Amino acid sequence: MTTKPRYDAVIVGAGAGGGIVAGVLAEAGKRVLLLERGRPLSFPEVGRDHLRNQRLSQYGNNAGPDGPDHPRVFVSRANGRARVVLPHEGGYSNNAACVGGGTLVYGGQAWRFHPLDFKMASTYGVPAGSSLADWPITYDDLAPYYERAEHEIGVAGDASRMAHLPPYARDYPMPPVTPDTASSRTFGRGAAALGWRTLPVPLTVNSVPYQGRPACLHCQHCVGFACPVDAKNGSQNTLIPRALVTGRCDLVTGAMAERIERDTSGRVVGVTYWNERDERITVGAEVVVAAGGAVETARLLLNSGIGNPDQVGRNLQGHCYSGAHGLFEHEVVDGQGPGVSIATCDFNHGNEGVIGGGLLADEFIPLPIVVWKWHTPPDLPRWGAEAKAWMRDNYRRLMRIQGPVQDIPNPECRVTLDPDVRDRWGIPVARLSGGTHDETVRTAAFLHGKAVEWLKASGAVRVFGGPPGHSLSAGQHQAGTCRMGDDPATSVTDRHCRVHGHDNLYIGDGSVHVTNGGFNPVLTIMALAFRTGEHIAKSW
Amino acid sequence: MLTEAQERTLAAVVDRVVPPDETWPDSGWPGGVEAGVLDYLREQFRRDLADLVPHYRRFLDALDAEAAPATFADLAPEAQDALLRRVEQGDVRATGGWGNDLAFAPQFFRRVVEHVAEGFYTSPAGRRMVRFEAEEAAGVTA
Ligand SMILES: Cc1cc2nc3c(=O)[nH]c(=O)nc-3n(C[C@H](O)[C@H](O)[C@H](O)COP(=O)(O)OP(=O)(O)OC[C@H]3O[C@@H](n4cnc5c(N)ncnc54)[C@H](O)[C@@H]3O)c2cc1C
Ligand code: SF4
């Protein structure tokens, strides 16, 4: 197939990574086409349905993708059985599909990974059955891009409190969002008693007016919803509008990319996608950037027959969360959104007898129905006066301490193409299989113990909830399916996130993470996207 | 969708799953019916729970059969609770409306309970009861 290049770059996916690459390239003078299968969503469109949102998708979601058009197949680890799943169902591992991707509705915890997160294999060795590896780049390589993301997306925090990291070159552009909450006071006292260091959780939320948008109103619908005053920062209100204002970026929504095209010599020449009117269009480009999220990017590459076929889709990882619930005599939820306010990073590394670790933090303001479904003690009756009274008396006296456990990558956790199931456009869908590595489960048990310790030291009168078991963790923190590395036999991209063997094909999302840290991943995805965008702008 | 008799039984179940406070309406919080759970369920029967409507009918009929010669709704609240506890434990009569599948009673009751809770804890009354919205916050609503 020959295709005349019409764009300097075509980017698939307008999420965290793709939106940033688009902004960097358009501002560098490139002509960019940004393809997004979802739509731009306003605050009223996202709405505040407590049962259909990206936090609790009981019957649907509020930020895409639309159910029946986008099935996947999930293979149960327990019984090996495969079943078709829709985006709101367990096993699907949904993030989002809209302009901004996950960043429209995320919680916005904006963590830098720890320097040792980039050196897991050399720090801990490689456990049997895992594909644990070092990144080909270091924390120092990424630090300037973390800083760029913090300032250009907009993160509120306090660099002087990030004692687990090397000193920051520049402080965050905004002070912490909720420096003083009932929860941060409670857990601050507990940590002090234990001699643990704490810090305010860095968030992509305006604590003060920033970049022409107002400060946070501290509402109760942050995680899983869009912001009523646009104080939550993502790619949809920063780098994507910056791309569009240059006049050099075309954003096409409702555009489902089917495959990356090559010419007879094997060179990548463009992308074929379906537009809103169900027309199939092939568009040419000098450079293609795949940024559909770790599941969909792997699917796109596999459907295109591009990339080392034994590597693309492997090492799917996310985070299993570990923690515990505590009940207090006093109120620990004061209703100040977003809610998450205090964390410790004392247990990300250096833990006796386990590999890695993770941060521990308090929780976002929970929806009442989420408390009812996920946070009630195991011995509470599920109906009647006692159940109702418990919710009335304890909603504000309950806090979960939890954190993302550093996932030990497992090559058997995998995205492949399902041989039978097709989406609405006839494209083979992603099939997800595999389970957590034993070492992750051990680390999760360790962190559970630390959460219990913190809750008790902070005055919890009752602690409940056990550590997680084995299950595929991908979901909102999905990453790893096109890992970067110097060896094409064991990785998919090189250190510049360029697919081995294709000098004009890049990956711009969380797929390239070699490991996913003991932290929420989005700031790392963003930092890499700034770096990749800059590299493409310089090279093409 | 449901017969009048089934609606009556459903209302009685809803108000035992989330009962009104004993002090209500002088103080405290309403039960599921007054909080709007029946409207929630009616909408869900047309939407996400459409496939379950036949099961709801069967469950509600069987509950009435179990309460015979009274209907479930006519029982005193204490007797309703006692009957629901038996349903919860699968301690029901095969001669009732359950048919041969006695496990249906506790299994479906668990689902009913969750649906009612979904209606209540997403309702304005349920949200206010737990104090989800901060009194001091700007109170932006969609
Ligand atoms: C409720 C929620 C809370 C979260 N909280 C946090 C948090 O506090 N901190 C944190 O670090 N992370 C958080 N996350 C995760 C974070 O949003 C993701 O890590 C991040 O968005 C991933 O970035 P990405 O660029 O890899 O993919 P995405 O942001 O998912 O973007 C991918 C985009 O590509 C589009 N796409 C995919 N395939 C195609 C195709 N074939 N054609 C066209 N378009 C396509 C998708 O529709 C999507 O919009 C949260 C996510 C959710 C949903
Ligand atoms: S908590 Fe603040 S940033 Fe989050 S949605 Fe509410 S107003 Fe917006």
Side-chain angles (χ1 to χ4, degrees):
Chain A
M1 168 179 301
T2 56
T3 328
K4 206 165 132 256
R6 284 187 37 223
Y7 288 94
D8 295 319
V10 176
I11 300 166
V12 177
I20 289 173
V21 175
V24 172
L25 290 182
E27 288 185 347
K30 306 293 181 191
R31 291 269 306 136
V32 176
L33 175 63
L34 182 55
L35 296 175
E36 169 55 50
R37 63 181 173 159
R39 295 185 300 119
L41 293 176
S42 65
F43 170 70
E45 284 173 298
V46 173
R48 285 184 160 179
D49 185 332
H50 284 199
L51 294 165
R52 295 168 192 82
N53 58 74
Q54 242 66 2
R55 183 60 155 184
L56 178 61
S57 305
Q58 187 71 28
Y59 299 111
N61 65 43
N62 59 9
D66 288 335
D69 291 351
H70 297 275
R72 283 178 184 162
V73 171
F74 175 73
V75 184
S76 155
R77 182 182 189 271
N79 59 23
R81 244 179 276 148
R83 64 173 206 277
V84 176
V85 284
L86 295 181
H88 71 278
E89 294 174 329
Y92 188 93
S93 273
N94 191 27
N95 189 36
C98 57
V99 174
T103 72
L104 182 69
V105 292
Y106 63 1
Q109 294 196 36
W111 298 98
R112 296 182 178 198
F113 283 1
H114 190 282
L116 291 180
D117 293 338
F118 299 86
K119 298 180 171 168
M120 288 295 289
S122 48
T123 305
Y124 296 99
V126 180
S130 88
S131 47
L132 197 62
D134 289 356
W135 290 50
I137 61 172
T138 64
Y139 176 87
D140 292 340
D141 293 326
L142 213 49
Y145 300 98
Y146 275 134
E147 183 183 311
R148 211 174 148 187
E150 284 156 359
H151 287 260
E152 296 188 29
I153 302 295
V155 178
D158 180 353
S160 72
R161 302 276 298 279
M162 308 303 274
H164 59 291
L165 294 175
Y168 282 38
R170 262 169 102 193
D171 199 350
Y172 292 101
M174 295 175 277
V177 180
T178 47
D180 184 35
T181 64
S183 176
S184 71
R185 287 193 295 277
T186 299
F187 291 102
R189 281 193 301 269
L194 291 165
W196 298 0
R197 298 172 300 184
T198 61
L199 52 101
V201 173
L203 293 166
T204 58
V205 165
N206 290 350
S207 55
V208 293
Y210 188 64
Q211 303 196 113
R213 284 178 289 105
C216 166
L217 294 178
H218 307 296
C219 80
Q220 294 76 39
H221 293 87
C222 206
V223 64
F225 299 88
C227 177
V229 294
D230 214 9
K232 181 155 71 175
N233 306 315
S235 65
Q236 76 284 349
N237 52 13
T238 58
L239 272 284
I240 293 176
R242 275 169 53 181
L244 297 178
V245 90
T246 65
R248 286 184 291 272
C249 175
D250 295 331
L251 168 62
V252 179
T253 60
M256 179 67 194
E258 176 177 347
R259 49 186 287 127
I260 297 163
E261 299 293 351
R262 286 176 291 175
D263 65 13
T264 44
S265 74
R267 188 177 168 71
V268 165
V269 292
V271 171
T272 295
Y273 71 96
W274 295 85
N275 72 10
E276 245 172 358
R277 291 177 300 282
D278 280 340
E279 297 159 333
R280 195 164 182 261
I281 293 172
T282 298
V283 60
E286 288 290 336
V287 173
V288 171
V289 181
V295 174
E296 292 300 317
T297 286
R299 174 188 174 207
L300 181 65
L301 261 64
L302 291 169
N303 271 322
S304 312
I306 288 180
N308 178 343
D310 186 52
Q311 282 295 309
V312 175
R314 284 204 190 271
N315 309 314
L316 176 63
Q317 52 202 293
H319 285 121
C320 80
Y321 265 74
S322 189
H325 300 96
L327 264 182
F328 292 80
E329 268 164 356
H330 63 283
E331 295 192 354
V332 284
V333 172
D334 61 12
Q336 272 191 78
V340 59
S341 57
I342 184 169
T344 181
C345 295
D346 280 6
F347 306 106
N348 280 79
H349 289 283
N351 303 311
E352 192 65 32
V354 299
I355 298 181
L359 75 92
L360 287 173
D362 60 348
E363 251 287 30
F364 290 98
I365 302 290
L367 302 176
I369 187 62
V370 163
V371 170
W372 171 257
K373 284 182 181 293
W374 300 346
H375 301 330
T376 48
D379 54 0
L380 183 72
R382 295 303 287 172
W383 60 280
E386 189 184 341
K388 182 188 182 191
W390 190 93
M391 285 292 289
R392 183 194 64 215
D393 296 344
N394 293 311
Y395 173 83
R396 284 194 171 216
R397 300 198 302 133
L398 176 75
M399 184 52 73
R400 180 165 167 81
I401 287 288
Q402 63 171 7
V405 180
Q406 168 105 240
D407 214 346
I408 302 306
N410 173 353
E412 299 311 319
C413 279
R414 199 169 178 193
V415 178
T416 54
L417 296 177
D418 192 82
D420 304 315
V421 180
R422 307 283 157 118
D423 67 11
R424 158 160 169 226
W425 299 270
I427 312 168
V429 307
R431 180 185 171 95
L432 310 182
S433 56
T436 322
H437 193 277
D438 288 340
E439 289 297 341
T440 310
V441 175
R442 271 171 16 89
T443 307
F446 167 83
L447 271 184
H448 166 73
K450 290 294 167 192
V452 169
E453 226 179 304
W454 197 4
L455 285 160
K456 287 187 172 158
S458 306
V461 289
R462 182 171 178 203
V463 172
F464 59 93
H470 288 85
S471 65
L472 181 69
S473 69
Q476 298 176 343
H477 291 186
Q478 58 187 266
T481 54
C482 298
R483 57 161 45 172
M484 57 163 108
D486 292 332
D487 180 358
T490 55
S491 58
V492 175
T493 80
D494 67 14
R495 58 177 61 212
H496 299 294
C497 304
R498 180 165 45 190
V499 175
H500 290 302
H502 295 277
D503 66 357
N504 63 342
L505 174 60
Y506 291 79
I507 306 287
D509 60 27
S511 311
V512 298
H513 291 193
V514 179
T515 48
N516 210 21
F519 298 96
N520 311 48
V522 82
L523 195 75
T524 301
I525 294 171
M526 290 171 164
L528 283 166
F530 276 107
R531 179 173 174 272
T532 302
E534 192 181 281
H535 177 82
I536 297 172
K538 271 196 214 130
S539 316
W540 292 90
Chain B
M1 199 159 283
L2 299 185
T3 64
E4 237 169 81
Q6 288 163 345
E7 284 262 352
R8 243 181 113 235
T9 310
L10 181 62
V13 171
V14 164
D15 259 357
R16 291 331 295 159
V17 172
V18 182
D21 286 6
E22 277 173 20
T23 54
W24 182 258
D26 298 334
S27 63
W29 299 96
V33 170
E34 240 181 292
V37 173
L38 283 177
D39 289 333
Y40 166 81
L41 289 174
R42 282 190 202 110
E43 195 196 327
Q44 280 295 79
F45 290 157
R46 283 192 298 271
R47 203 175 170 182
D48 304 298
L49 304 181
D51 292 350
L52 293 184
V53 170
H55 297 288
Y56 262 92
R57 291 164 163 281
R58 183 179 159 207
F59 180 82
L60 296 167
D61 289 345
L63 214 51
D64 268 349
E66 196 73 33
T71 63
F72 182 80
D74 290 332
L75 297 177
E78 298 70 34
Q80 290 175 335
D81 283 353
L83 202 164
L84 289 177
R85 265 193 296 276
R86 284 204 289 115
V87 169
E88 189 177 31
Q89 284 149 20
D91 177 17
V92 290
R93 286 177 288 148
T95 51
W98 308 105
N100 292 329
D101 178 18
L102 289 186
F104 170 76
Q107 278 166 8
F108 197 71
F109 181 56
R110 269 199 292 280
R111 300 186 73 175
V112 173
V113 162
E114 286 311 304
H115 300 152
V116 172
E118 284 162 10
F120 185 73
Y121 291 112
T122 61
S123 74
R127 285 161 57 153
R128 272 204 302 276
M129 180 187 87
V130 303
R131 291 189 299 133
F132 167 63
E133 269 93 4
E135 297 82 356
E136 64 276 14
V140 179
T141 49

